[in-house]
Amino acid sequence: MVCHDNESVKFFYDISKKNISETWQTKDLVVVSLGLLVCSFVIFANILVMLAIFMNRRFHYPIYYLLGNLAAADLFAGVSYMYLMFHTGPWTSKLSIGQWFVRQGLIDTSLTASVINLMAIALERHQTIFTMQLHSKMTNHRVVLLIIGIWLIAIVLGLVPSMGWSCVCNTMECSNMAPLYSRSYLVFWAVLNLLTFTIMVAVYTRIFIYVHRKSHRMSQHTSQIKHKETVVNLMKTVVMILGCFVVCWTPGLVLLLLDGSCESCDVLTYEKFFLVLAECNSFMNPIIYSYRDKDMRDTFKRILCFPCVGSQQEGEHSGAHFNTLEQEVLSESDGTQRQTAPALAELKSQPRY
């Protein structure tokens, strides 16, 4: 087995039959312009989320720490992708093998951290809703360990190709989309992300079924309209979460699977656009997980237009996505405790599912 550590990046691109533009073409300019625009939104939105969580004490709970870590991962994704934009096109041929692995490793690490954070948030919501709490009782120590674990996994997966799982020593395995990556690694990475997605689907589906059953039992104590609003509101949130993930990630993951398993398939035509689409998930996350939260929106207003917005009113609660069913019913009922107390007593007396 011969290793080609001293070869140029162009050597591997020629083997994979992936063209490196010698001059800037229209397609290259469109992709880079679109990518930089997406990166700008990603960086701005996630910095805003991190500032809001840091400034507002109401967000000093495990779920918001995980949201902050998700924002940090997506911010890193934006910076990594911007780095990619300035090292693509005609600039690619000037990269050394080490620089190329750094470019791709940053992308892999940031996107992996973002996806794992999404799953961690889903599991945290599952735990709190099934114990009828607004916020998890997870200690700060455990949250820190969870966040460290997320980044360790992401960094390891980002470093794996540069540590040997590549085609530098086996050019027959070179990928078409990422010419220095082994096809088997791309299949592994795609399957891992699809597995994560499957877990998220299962978790949110179980949450919805649980809340639907509980809200149905409580409907005799609350108005049918408010009951339907609670269920529909949760359904919208779940559909947004899963729908955004499917739309942004599925095309790229399918393309990776085709690249790893089908040598004759044309995967280069849309690969750059699909990568931009996957990156879009990094600025959709703050919208879904944060902008739907009323306290978060108020904090954003204070940050962006402090002189124009008065101080935040006391006694406000977070939005529907982060509330348990108990909080939803309390906030959306007719406002009388007499009406909701029997329902809550019945709900708490029910066995856990």
Side-chain angles (χ1 to χ4, degrees), residues 107-137:
I107 296 293
D108 293 346
T109 299
S110 58
L111 295 182
T112 301
S114 179
V115 173
I116 299 177
N117 265 288
L118 290 176
M119 185 175 68
I121 291 172
L123 295 176
E124 193 276 346
R125 287 292 87 192
H126 180 276
Q127 188 269 332
T128 53
I129 288 177
F130 272 69
T131 54
M132 296 304 299
Q133 300 168 355
L134 175 60
H135 295 294
S136 172
K137 293 184 178 180

Short mmCIF file of all heavy atoms in Angstrom, two decimals, residues 107-137:
data_model
loop_
_atom_site.label_atom_id
_atom_site.label_comp_id
_atom_site.label_asym_id
_atom_site.label_seq_id
_atom_site.Cartn_x
_atom_site.Cartn_y
_atom_site.Cartn_z
N ILE A 107 -15.86 21.90 9.19
CA ILE A 107 -17.25 21.73 8.79
C ILE A 107 -17.87 20.51 9.47
O ILE A 107 -18.97 20.57 10.03
CB ILE A 107 -17.37 21.60 7.26
CG1 ILE A 107 -16.91 22.88 6.57
CG2 ILE A 107 -18.80 21.25 6.85
CD1 ILE A 107 -17.80 24.07 6.83
N ASP A 108 -17.16 19.37 9.42
CA ASP A 108 -17.68 18.14 10.01
C ASP A 108 -17.91 18.30 11.51
O ASP A 108 -18.93 17.86 12.05
CB ASP A 108 -16.72 16.98 9.75
CG ASP A 108 -16.63 16.62 8.28
OD1 ASP A 108 -17.50 17.06 7.52
OD2 ASP A 108 -15.68 15.90 7.90
N THR A 109 -16.95 18.92 12.20
CA THR A 109 -17.06 19.09 13.65
C THR A 109 -18.25 19.97 14.01
O THR A 109 -19.05 19.63 14.91
CB THR A 109 -15.78 19.71 14.21
OG1 THR A 109 -14.66 18.84 13.95
CG2 THR A 109 -15.90 19.94 15.72
N SER A 110 -18.39 21.10 13.33
CA SER A 110 -19.45 22.04 13.68
C SER A 110 -20.83 21.47 13.38
O SER A 110 -21.75 21.58 14.20
CB SER A 110 -19.24 23.36 12.93
OG SER A 110 -19.23 23.14 11.53
N LEU A 111 -20.99 20.85 12.22
CA LEU A 111 -22.29 20.31 11.86
C LEU A 111 -22.66 19.12 12.75
O LEU A 111 -23.81 18.94 13.12
CB LEU A 111 -22.32 19.91 10.39
CG LEU A 111 -22.18 21.06 9.39
CD1 LEU A 111 -22.27 20.54 7.95
CD2 LEU A 111 -23.24 22.12 9.63
N THR A 112 -21.67 18.30 13.10
CA THR A 112 -21.93 17.16 14.00
C THR A 112 -22.34 17.66 15.37
O THR A 112 -23.29 17.12 15.98
CB THR A 112 -20.68 16.27 14.11
OG1 THR A 112 -20.32 15.78 12.82
CG2 THR A 112 -20.95 15.09 15.04
N ALA A 113 -21.66 18.68 15.89
CA ALA A 113 -22.02 19.24 17.20
C ALA A 113 -23.43 19.80 17.18
O ALA A 113 -24.20 19.65 18.14
CB ALA A 113 -21.02 20.33 17.58
N SER A 114 -23.81 20.43 16.09
CA SER A 114 -25.15 20.99 15.96
C SER A 114 -26.21 19.89 15.99
O SER A 114 -27.21 19.99 16.70
CB SER A 114 -25.27 21.81 14.66
OG SER A 114 -26.56 22.34 14.51
N VAL A 115 -25.99 18.82 15.25
CA VAL A 115 -26.95 17.72 15.19
C VAL A 115 -27.07 17.03 16.55
O VAL A 115 -28.19 16.73 17.01
CB VAL A 115 -26.54 16.71 14.11
CG1 VAL A 115 -27.44 15.49 14.17
CG2 VAL A 115 -26.63 17.35 12.73
N ILE A 116 -25.94 16.76 17.21
CA ILE A 116 -25.98 16.10 18.51
C ILE A 116 -26.68 16.98 19.54
O ILE A 116 -27.41 16.49 20.42
CB ILE A 116 -24.56 15.73 18.99
CG1 ILE A 116 -23.90 14.77 18.00
CG2 ILE A 116 -24.60 15.09 20.37
CD1 ILE A 116 -22.47 14.41 18.35
N ASN A 117 -26.48 18.30 19.44
CA ASN A 117 -27.18 19.21 20.34
C ASN A 117 -28.69 19.14 20.14
O ASN A 117 -29.46 19.20 21.10
CB ASN A 117 -26.71 20.65 20.09
CG ASN A 117 -25.61 21.06 21.04
OD1 ASN A 117 -25.83 21.26 22.23
ND2 ASN A 117 -24.40 21.16 20.52
N LEU A 118 -29.13 19.02 18.90
CA LEU A 118 -30.56 18.88 18.62
C LEU A 118 -31.12 17.64 19.32
O LEU A 118 -32.21 17.68 19.90
CB LEU A 118 -30.79 18.79 17.12
CG LEU A 118 -30.55 20.06 16.30
CD1 LEU A 118 -30.72 19.76 14.81
CD2 LEU A 118 -31.50 21.17 16.72
N MET A 119 -30.38 16.54 19.26
CA MET A 119 -30.85 15.32 19.92
C MET A 119 -30.85 15.48 21.43
O MET A 119 -31.76 15.01 22.12
CB MET A 119 -29.98 14.13 19.51
CG MET A 119 -30.49 12.82 20.07
SD MET A 119 -29.56 11.38 19.50
CE MET A 119 -27.98 11.65 20.32
N ALA A 120 -29.83 16.17 21.98
CA ALA A 120 -29.77 16.38 23.43
C ALA A 120 -30.96 17.20 23.90
O ALA A 120 -31.53 16.93 24.97
CB ALA A 120 -28.45 17.07 23.80
N ILE A 121 -31.34 18.22 23.15
CA ILE A 121 -32.49 19.04 23.50
C ILE A 121 -33.77 18.21 23.44
O ILE A 121 -34.65 18.34 24.31
CB ILE A 121 -32.58 20.26 22.56
CG1 ILE A 121 -31.42 21.22 22.84
CG2 ILE A 121 -33.91 20.99 22.73
CD1 ILE A 121 -31.31 22.37 21.86
N ALA A 122 -33.89 17.35 22.44
CA ALA A 122 -35.07 16.49 22.34
C ALA A 122 -35.17 15.57 23.55
O ALA A 122 -36.26 15.40 24.12
CB ALA A 122 -35.00 15.67 21.04
N LEU A 123 -34.06 15.00 23.97
CA LEU A 123 -34.05 14.10 25.13
C LEU A 123 -34.35 14.87 26.41
O LEU A 123 -35.05 14.37 27.31
CB LEU A 123 -32.70 13.39 25.25
CG LEU A 123 -32.36 12.43 24.10
CD1 LEU A 123 -30.95 11.86 24.27
CD2 LEU A 123 -33.38 11.29 24.03
N GLU A 124 -33.86 16.11 26.52
CA GLU A 124 -34.13 16.92 27.71
C GLU A 124 -35.60 17.26 27.79
O GLU A 124 -36.22 17.19 28.87
CB GLU A 124 -33.29 18.20 27.65
CG GLU A 124 -33.25 18.99 28.97
CD GLU A 124 -34.43 19.91 29.14
OE1 GLU A 124 -35.15 20.16 28.16
OE2 GLU A 124 -34.65 20.39 30.28
N ARG A 125 -36.21 17.62 26.66
CA ARG A 125 -37.65 17.92 26.65
C ARG A 125 -38.46 16.68 27.00
O ARG A 125 -39.48 16.76 27.69
CB ARG A 125 -38.07 18.45 25.28
CG ARG A 125 -37.60 19.84 24.99
CD ARG A 125 -38.30 20.88 25.88
NE ARG A 125 -37.62 21.07 27.15
CZ ARG A 125 -38.13 21.72 28.18
NH1 ARG A 125 -39.34 22.21 28.10
NH2 ARG A 125 -37.45 21.85 29.29
N HIS A 126 -38.02 15.53 26.54
CA HIS A 126 -38.70 14.27 26.85
C HIS A 126 -38.70 14.03 28.35
O HIS A 126 -39.72 13.68 28.95
CB HIS A 126 -37.99 13.12 26.11
CG HIS A 126 -38.61 11.78 26.35
ND1 HIS A 126 -38.29 11.00 27.45
CD2 HIS A 126 -39.53 11.06 25.63
CE1 HIS A 126 -38.97 9.87 27.41
NE2 HIS A 126 -39.73 9.88 26.32
N GLN A 127 -37.57 14.26 28.99
CA GLN A 127 -37.45 14.01 30.42
C GLN A 127 -38.30 14.97 31.23
O GLN A 127 -38.99 14.58 32.18
CB GLN A 127 -35.97 14.12 30.84
CG GLN A 127 -35.68 13.70 32.27
CD GLN A 127 -35.77 14.87 33.25
OE1 GLN A 127 -35.53 16.01 32.86
NE2 GLN A 127 -36.12 14.58 34.49
N THR A 128 -38.31 16.25 30.87
CA THR A 128 -39.05 17.23 31.65
C THR A 128 -40.56 17.10 31.46
O THR A 128 -41.33 17.21 32.42
CB THR A 128 -38.62 18.66 31.26
OG1 THR A 128 -38.73 18.84 29.85
CG2 THR A 128 -37.19 18.93 31.67
N ILE A 129 -41.01 16.86 30.23
CA ILE A 129 -42.44 16.75 29.98
C ILE A 129 -43.02 15.51 30.66
O ILE A 129 -44.10 15.54 31.22
CB ILE A 129 -42.72 16.74 28.47
CG1 ILE A 129 -42.48 18.14 27.89
CG2 ILE A 129 -44.14 16.29 28.16
CD1 ILE A 129 -42.66 18.25 26.40
N PHE A 130 -42.27 14.42 30.66
CA PHE A 130 -42.78 13.19 31.27
C PHE A 130 -42.74 13.24 32.79
O PHE A 130 -43.32 12.39 33.45
CB PHE A 130 -41.98 11.98 30.75
CG PHE A 130 -42.55 11.41 29.49
CD1 PHE A 130 -42.47 12.11 28.30
CD2 PHE A 130 -43.17 10.18 29.48
CE1 PHE A 130 -42.99 11.61 27.12
CE2 PHE A 130 -43.70 9.65 28.30
CZ PHE A 130 -43.61 10.37 27.12
N THR A 131 -42.04 14.21 33.36
CA THR A 131 -42.05 14.41 34.81
C THR A 131 -42.85 15.65 35.20
O THR A 131 -42.78 16.09 36.35
CB THR A 131 -40.61 14.52 35.36
OG1 THR A 131 -39.91 15.56 34.65
CG2 THR A 131 -39.87 13.21 35.20
N MET A 132 -43.58 16.23 34.23
CA MET A 132 -44.46 17.37 34.46
C MET A 132 -43.71 18.56 35.06
O MET A 132 -44.14 19.18 36.02
CB MET A 132 -45.63 16.97 35.37
CG MET A 132 -46.54 15.93 34.76
SD MET A 132 -47.21 16.45 33.15
CE MET A 132 -48.11 17.90 33.62
N GLN A 133 -42.57 18.90 34.51
CA GLN A 133 -41.79 20.04 34.96
C GLN A 133 -41.62 21.03 33.83
O GLN A 133 -41.67 20.68 32.66
CB GLN A 133 -40.40 19.58 35.43
CG GLN A 133 -40.42 18.59 36.58
CD GLN A 133 -39.05 17.97 36.80
OE1 GLN A 133 -38.12 18.23 36.05
NE2 GLN A 133 -38.94 17.16 37.83
N LEU A 134 -41.43 22.31 34.22
CA LEU A 134 -41.12 23.32 33.21
C LEU A 134 -39.65 23.26 32.84
O LEU A 134 -39.29 23.39 31.68
CB LEU A 134 -41.48 24.71 33.75
CG LEU A 134 -41.11 25.89 32.85
CD1 LEU A 134 -41.80 25.78 31.50
CD2 LEU A 134 -41.46 27.21 33.52
N HIS A 135 -38.79 23.06 33.84
CA HIS A 135 -37.36 22.98 33.61
C HIS A 135 -36.80 21.70 34.23
O HIS A 135 -37.28 21.23 35.26
CB HIS A 135 -36.64 24.20 34.21
CG HIS A 135 -37.00 25.49 33.56
ND1 HIS A 135 -36.69 25.78 32.25
CD2 HIS A 135 -37.67 26.58 34.03
CE1 HIS A 135 -37.13 26.98 31.94
NE2 HIS A 135 -37.73 27.49 33.01
N SER A 136 -35.78 21.18 33.61
CA SER A 136 -35.13 19.96 34.09
C SER A 136 -34.44 20.21 35.42
O SER A 136 -33.96 21.31 35.70
CB SER A 136 -34.11 19.47 33.06
OG SER A 136 -33.35 18.41 33.58
N LYS A 137 -34.40 19.17 36.25
CA LYS A 137 -33.69 19.25 37.53
C LYS A 137 -32.22 18.82 37.38
O LYS A 137 -31.53 18.62 38.38
CB LYS A 137 -34.39 18.37 38.57
CG LYS A 137 -35.77 18.88 38.97
CD LYS A 137 -36.38 18.03 40.06
CE LYS A 137 -37.75 18.59 40.47
NZ LYS A 137 -38.37 17.78 41.55
#
